[in-house]
Coordinates of all heavy atoms in Angstrom, one line a residue:
V234 N -5.8 0.5 6.2 CA -6.3 0.9 5.0 C -7.1 -0.3 4.5 O -6.6 -1.4 4.4 CB -5.2 1.3 4.0 CG1 -5.9 1.8 2.7 CG2 -4.4 2.5 4.7
I235 N -8.4 -0.1 4.4 CA -9.2 -1.0 3.7 C -9.8 -0.5 2.4 O -10.5 0.5 2.5 CB -10.4 -1.5 4.7 CG1 -9.8 -2.1 5.9 CG2 -11.3 -2.5 4.0 CD1 -10.8 -2.4 7.1
I236 N -9.5 -1.2 1.4 CA -9.9 -0.8 0.0 C -10.9 -1.7 -0.6 O -10.9 -2.8 -0.7 CB -8.7 -0.7 -1.0 CG1 -7.4 -0.1 -0.4 CG2 -9.2 -0.2 -2.3 CD1 -7.7 1.5 -0.3
K237 N -12.2 -1.0 -0.8 CA -13.3 -1.8 -1.3 C -13.6 -1.2 -2.8 O -14.4 -1.8 -3.5 CB -14.5 -1.6 -0.4 CG -14.4 -2.2 1.0 CD -15.6 -2.2 1.8 CE -15.3 -2.8 3.1 NZ -16.5 -2.8 3.9
G238 N -13.0 -0.1 -3.3 CA -13.4 0.5 -4.4 C -12.1 0.6 -5.2 O -11.2 -0.2 -5.2
S239 N -11.9 1.8 -6.0 CA -10.7 2.0 -6.8 C -9.8 3.1 -6.2 O -10.3 4.1 -5.7 CB -11.1 2.4 -8.2 OG -11.9 1.5 -8.8
V240 N -8.5 2.9 -6.3 CA -7.5 3.7 -5.7 C -6.3 3.8 -6.8 O -5.8 2.7 -7.3 CB -6.9 3.4 -4.4 CG1 -5.8 4.3 -4.0 CG2 -7.9 3.4 -3.3
E241 N -6.0 5.0 -7.1 CA -4.8 5.2 -8.0 C -3.9 6.1 -7.3 O -4.1 7.2 -6.9 CB -5.2 5.8 -9.3 CG -4.0 5.8 -10.3 CD -4.4 6.1 -11.7 OE1 -5.6 5.9 -12.1 OE2 -3.6 6.6 -12.6
G242 N -2.7 5.5 -7.0 CA -1.6 6.3 -6.2 C -1.1 5.5 -5.1 O -1.4 4.2 -5.0
R243 N -0.1 5.9 -4.3 CA 0.7 5.3 -3.3 C -0.2 5.1 -2.1 O -1.0 6.0 -1.7 CB 1.9 6.1 -3.1 CG 2.7 5.5 -1.9 CD 4.0 6.3 -1.7 NE 4.9 6.3 -2.9 CZ 5.8 7.0 -3.0 NH1 6.1 8.0 -2.1 NH2 6.5 7.0 -4.1
I244 N -0.1 3.9 -1.4 CA -0.8 3.6 -0.2 C 0.4 3.2 0.8 O 1.2 2.4 0.6 CB -1.8 2.3 -0.4 CG1 -2.8 2.7 -1.5 CG2 -2.3 1.9 1.0 CD1 -3.7 1.5 -1.8
R245 N 0.3 3.9 2.0 CA 1.1 3.6 3.2 C 0.3 3.3 4.3 O -0.5 4.1 4.7 CB 2.1 4.8 3.4 CG 3.0 5.2 2.3 CD 3.9 6.4 2.7 NE 4.9 5.9 3.5 CZ 6.1 5.4 3.0 NH1 6.3 5.4 1.7 NH2 7.0 5.0 3.8
G246 N 0.5 2.0 4.9 CA -0.4 1.7 6.1 C 0.3 0.5 6.8 O 0.9 -0.4 6.3
R247 N 0.1 0.5 8.1 CA 0.6 -0.7 8.8 C -0.2 -1.9 8.5 O 0.4 -3.0 8.3 CB 0.4 -0.5 10.4 CG 1.3 0.7 10.9 CD 1.3 0.7 12.3 NE 1.8 2.0 13.0 CZ 3.0 2.4 12.8 NH1 4.0 1.6 12.2 NH2 3.4 3.5 13.2
K248 N -1.5 -1.8 8.3 CA -2.3 -3.0 7.8 C -3.1 -2.5 6.6 O -3.8 -1.6 6.7 CB -3.3 -3.3 9.0 CG -4.2 -4.5 8.5 CD -5.1 -4.9 9.8 CE -6.0 -6.1 9.3 NZ -6.9 -6.3 10.3
V249 N -2.9 -3.2 5.5 CA -3.5 -2.9 4.3 C -4.4 -4.1 3.8 O -3.7 -5.2 3.8 CB -2.5 -2.5 3.2 CG1 -3.2 -2.1 1.8 CG2 -1.8 -1.2 3.7
Q250 N -5.4 -3.9 3.4 CA -6.5 -5.0 3.0 C -7.1 -4.5 1.7 O -7.7 -3.5 1.6 CB -7.4 -5.2 4.1 CG -8.4 -6.5 3.6 CD -9.5 -6.8 4.7 OE1 -9.2 -6.2 5.7 NE2 -10.3 -7.6 4.3
L251 N -7.0 -5.5 0.7 CA -7.6 -5.1 -0.6 C -8.9 -6.2 -0.7 O -8.5 -7.4 -0.7 CB -6.7 -5.3 -1.8 CG -5.4 -4.6 -1.9 CD1 -4.7 -4.8 -3.1 CD2 -5.6 -3.2 -1.6
C252 N -10.0 -5.7 -0.7 CA -11.2 -6.5 -0.5 C -11.6 -7.0 -2.0 O -11.0 -6.4 -2.9 CB -12.4 -5.8 0.0 SG -12.1 -5.3 1.8
T253 N -12.5 -8.0 -2.1 CA -12.9 -8.5 -3.3 C -13.4 -7.4 -4.1 O -14.3 -6.6 -3.6 CB -13.9 -9.7 -3.1 OG1 -13.3 -10.7 -2.4 CG2 -14.5 -10.1 -4.4
G254 N -13.1 -7.2 -5.3 CA -13.6 -6.2 -6.3 C -12.8 -4.9 -6.2 O -13.1 -4.0 -6.9
A255 N -11.9 -4.8 -5.3 CA -10.9 -3.6 -5.2 C -10.1 -3.5 -6.4 O -9.7 -4.6 -7.0 CB -10.1 -3.6 -3.9
K256 N -9.8 -2.3 -6.9 CA -8.9 -2.1 -7.9 C -7.9 -1.0 -7.5 O -8.2 0.2 -7.2 CB -9.7 -1.5 -9.2 CG -10.6 -2.5 -9.7 CD -11.4 -1.9 -10.9 CE -12.5 -3.0 -11.4 NZ -13.4 -2.4 -12.2
V257 N -6.6 -1.4 -7.4 CA -5.6 -0.6 -7.0 C -4.5 -0.5 -8.0 O -4.0 -1.5 -8.4 CB -5.0 -1.0 -5.6 CG1 -3.7 -0.2 -5.2 CG2 -6.0 -1.0 -4.5
R258 N -4.1 0.8 -8.4 CA -3.0 1.0 -9.2 C -2.0 1.9 -8.7 O -2.3 3.1 -8.5 CB -3.6 1.7 -10.6 CG -2.6 1.9 -11.6 CD -3.2 2.4 -12.8 NE -2.4 2.0 -14.0 CZ -2.8 2.1 -15.2 NH1 -4.0 2.7 -15.5 NH2 -2.1 1.7 -16.2
G259 N -0.9 1.4 -8.1 CA 0.0 2.2 -7.3 C 0.8 1.3 -6.4 O 0.6 0.1 -6.3
D260 N 1.8 1.9 -5.8 CA 2.7 1.0 -4.9 C 2.1 1.1 -3.5 O 1.4 1.9 -3.0 CB 4.1 1.7 -4.8 CG 4.8 1.8 -6.2 OD1 4.3 1.0 -7.1 OD2 5.8 2.5 -6.3
I261 N 2.3 -0.1 -2.9 CA 1.9 -0.3 -1.4 C 3.1 -0.5 -0.5 O 3.9 -1.4 -0.8 CB 0.9 -1.5 -1.4 CG1 -0.3 -1.3 -2.2 CG2 0.5 -1.8 0.1 CD1 -1.3 -2.4 -2.3
F262 N 3.1 0.2 0.6 CA 4.1 0.2 1.7 C 3.3 -0.3 2.9 O 2.4 0.3 3.3 CB 4.9 1.4 1.9 CG 5.6 2.0 0.7 CD1 5.0 2.6 -0.4 CD2 7.0 1.7 0.6 CE1 5.7 3.1 -1.4 CE2 7.7 2.1 -0.5 CZ 7.0 2.8 -1.6
H263 N 3.7 -1.4 3.6 CA 2.9 -2.0 4.5 C 3.7 -2.8 5.5 O 4.9 -3.2 5.3 CB 1.9 -3.1 3.9 CG 2.5 -4.2 3.3 ND1 2.8 -5.3 3.9 CD2 3.1 -4.3 2.0 CE1 3.3 -6.2 3.1 NE2 3.7 -5.7 2.0
A264 N 3.1 -3.0 6.7 CA 3.7 -4.0 7.6 C 2.9 -5.3 7.5 O 3.4 -6.4 7.7 CB 3.6 -3.5 9.1
S265 N 1.6 -5.3 7.1 CA 0.8 -6.4 7.0 C -0.1 -6.2 5.7 O -0.8 -5.2 5.6 CB -0.1 -6.7 8.2 OG -1.1 -7.6 8.0
L266 N -0.2 -7.1 4.7 CA -0.9 -6.9 3.4 C -1.8 -8.2 3.3 O -1.3 -9.4 3.4 CB 0.1 -6.8 2.4 CG -0.7 -6.8 0.9 CD1 -1.6 -5.6 0.9 CD2 0.4 -6.7 -0.1
A267 N -3.1 -7.9 3.0 CA -4.0 -9.0 2.7 C -4.7 -8.6 1.4 O -5.2 -7.5 1.2 CB -5.1 -9.2 3.8
I268 N -4.8 -9.6 0.4 CA -5.4 -9.3 -0.8 C -6.3 -10.4 -1.0 O -6.1 -11.6 -1.1 CB -4.5 -9.3 -2.0 CG1 -3.3 -8.2 -1.8 CG2 -5.0 -9.1 -3.3 CD1 -2.2 -8.2 -2.9
E269 N -7.7 -10.1 -1.0 CA -8.7 -11.1 -1.1 C -8.9 -11.6 -2.6 O -8.4 -10.7 -3.5 CB -10.1 -10.5 -0.8 CG -10.0 -10.2 0.8 CD -11.4 -9.6 1.4 OE1 -12.2 -9.5 0.5 OE2 -11.4 -9.4 2.4
P270 N -9.6 -12.7 -2.9 CA -9.7 -13.1 -4.3 C -10.4 -12.1 -5.1 O -11.4 -11.4 -4.6 CB -10.7 -14.3 -4.1 CG -10.3 -14.9 -2.7 CD -10.1 -13.6 -1.9
N271 N -10.2 -12.0 -6.3 CA -10.8 -11.0 -7.4 C -10.4 -9.6 -7.1 O -11.2 -8.7 -7.6 CB -12.2 -11.3 -7.4 CG -12.6 -12.8 -7.9 OD1 -12.0 -13.2 -8.9 ND2 -13.5 -13.4 -7.4
A272 N -9.5 -9.3 -6.3 CA -9.1 -7.8 -6.1 C -8.0 -7.8 -7.1 O -7.2 -8.6 -7.4 CB -8.5 -7.6 -4.7
I273 N -7.9 -6.6 -7.7 CA -7.0 -6.3 -8.8 C -5.9 -5.3 -8.3 O -6.3 -4.2 -7.7 CB -7.6 -5.6 -10.1 CG1 -8.7 -6.7 -10.7 CG2 -6.6 -5.2 -11.1 CD1 -9.6 -6.1 -11.6
F274 N -4.8 -5.6 -8.5 CA -3.6 -4.8 -8.0 C -2.5 -4.6 -9.1 O -1.9 -5.8 -9.5 CB -3.0 -5.4 -6.7 CG -1.7 -4.7 -6.3 CD1 -1.6 -3.4 -6.1 CD2 -0.5 -5.4 -6.2 CE1 -0.4 -2.7 -5.7 CE2 0.6 -4.8 -6.0 CZ 0.7 -3.5 -5.7
E275 N -2.1 -3.4 -9.4 CA -1.0 -3.2 -10.3 C 0.1 -2.3 -9.6 O -0.5 -1.1 -9.3 CB -1.6 -2.6 -11.7 CG -2.5 -3.5 -12.5 CD -2.8 -2.9 -13.7 OE1 -2.2 -1.9 -14.3 OE2 -3.9 -3.1 -14.1
G276 N 1.2 -2.7 -9.4 CA 2.2 -1.9 -8.7 C 3.2 -2.7 -8.1 O 3.3 -3.9 -8.2
A277 N 4.1 -2.0 -7.2 CA 4.9 -2.7 -6.4 C 4.5 -2.7 -5.0 O 3.8 -1.9 -4.5 CB 6.3 -2.0 -6.5
V278 N 5.0 -3.8 -4.2 CA 4.7 -4.0 -2.8 C 6.1 -4.1 -2.1 O 6.9 -4.6 -2.5 CB 3.9 -5.4 -2.6 CG1 3.7 -5.6 -1.2 CG2 2.6 -5.4 -3.4
K279 N 6.1 -3.2 -1.0 CA 7.3 -3.2 -0.1 C 6.9 -3.3 1.3 O 6.1 -2.6 1.8 CB 7.9 -1.8 -0.4 CG 9.1 -1.5 0.6 CD 10.5 -2.2 0.1 CE 11.6 -1.7 0.9 NZ 12.3 -2.7 1.5
H280 N 7.4 -4.4 1.8 CA 7.1 -4.7 3.4 C 8.1 -3.7 4.0 O 9.2 -3.4 3.8 CB 7.5 -6.1 3.7 CG 7.3 -6.3 5.2 ND1 8.3 -6.3 6.0 CD2 6.1 -6.7 5.8 CE1 7.7 -6.4 7.3 NE2 6.6 -6.7 7.1
D281 N 7.5 -3.1 5.1 CA 8.3 -2.0 5.9 C 7.7 -2.1 7.3 O 6.5 -2.0 7.5 CB 8.0 -0.6 5.3 CG 8.9 0.4 5.9 OD1 9.3 0.2 7.0 OD2 9.1 1.4 5.2
Q282 N 8.6 -2.4 8.2 CA 8.2 -2.5 9.6 C 7.6 -1.2 10.1 O 6.7 -1.3 11.1 CB 9.5 -2.7 10.6 CG 10.0 -4.1 10.4 CD 8.9 -5.3 10.9 OE1 8.0 -4.9 11.5 NE2 9.3 -6.4 10.5
D283 N 7.9 0.0 9.6 CA 7.3 1.1 10.0 C 6.9 2.0 8.6 O 7.6 3.0 8.3 CB 8.2 2.0 10.9 CG 7.6 3.2 11.5 OD1 6.2 3.3 11.4 OD2 8.2 4.1 12.1
P284 N 5.9 1.6 8.0 CA 5.5 2.2 6.8 C 4.9 3.7 6.9 O 4.9 4.5 6.0 CB 4.5 1.3 6.1 CG 3.8 0.7 7.3 CD 4.9 0.5 8.3
M285 N 4.7 4.1 8.2 CA 4.1 5.3 8.5 C 5.1 6.5 8.6 O 4.9 7.6 8.5 CB 3.2 5.3 9.7 CG 2.2 4.3 9.7 SD 0.9 4.6 8.4 CE 0.2 6.1 9.1
A286 N 6.4 6.0 8.9 CA 7.6 6.9 9.0 C 7.8 7.7 7.8 O 7.7 7.2 6.6 CB 8.9 6.1 9.4
D287 N 8.1 8.9 8.0 CA 8.4 9.8 6.9 C 9.8 9.8 6.6 O 10.7 10.4 7.3 CB 7.9 11.3 7.3 CG 8.0 12.2 6.0 OD1 8.0 11.7 4.9 OD2 7.9 13.5 6.3
K288 N 10.2 9.1 5.6 CA 11.6 8.7 5.3 C 12.1 9.7 4.2 O 11.4 10.0 3.3 CB 11.9 7.3 4.9 CG 11.5 6.4 6.0 CD 11.6 4.9 5.4 CE 11.2 3.9 6.6 NZ 10.0 3.4 6.6
P289 N 13.2 10.2 4.3 CA 13.8 11.1 3.3 C 14.0 10.3 2.0 O 14.3 9.1 1.9 CB 15.0 11.6 3.7 CG 15.5 10.7 4.8 CD 14.2 10.0 5.4
Q290 N 13.7 11.0 0.9 CA 14.0 10.3 -0.4 C 15.4 10.3 -0.8 O 16.1 11.1 -0.4 CB 13.2 11.2 -1.5 CG 11.7 11.2 -1.4 CD 11.1 9.9 -1.8 OE1 11.6 9.1 -2.5 NE2 10.0 9.7 -1.0
A291 N 15.9 9.2 -1.5 CA 17.3 9.1 -1.9 C 17.6 10.1 -2.8 O 16.7 10.4 -3.8 CB 17.5 7.6 -2.4
A292 N 18.7 10.7 -2.8 CA 19.2 11.7 -3.6 C 19.8 11.1 -4.8 O 20.5 10.1 -4.8 CB 20.1 12.7 -3.0
S293 N 19.6 11.7 -6.0 CA 20.2 11.1 -7.3 C 21.4 12.1 -7.7 O 21.1 13.3 -7.8 CB 19.2 11.0 -8.3 OG 19.8 10.5 -9.5

Side-chain angles (χ1 to χ4, degrees):
V234 179
I235 301 173
I236 307 293
K237 296 182 178 182
S239 297
V240 172
E241 188 163 336
R243 181 178 294 169
I244 297 172
R245 298 181 78 87
R247 293 195 200 288
K248 180 179 177 185
V249 178
Q250 179 178 352
L251 307 185
C252 298
T253 298
K256 295 177 184 173
V257 174
R258 184 179 209 165
D260 298 341
I261 298 176
F262 298 84
H263 66 91
S265 172
L266 174 64
I268 302 176
E269 295 181 0
N271 297 316
I273 298 170
F274 169 62
E275 294 181 31
V278 178
K279 173 80 169 122
H280 180 267
D281 191 334
Q282 289 295 346
D283 191 7
M285 306 295 290
D287 192 17
K288 298 177 177 99
Q290 296 290 331
S293 177

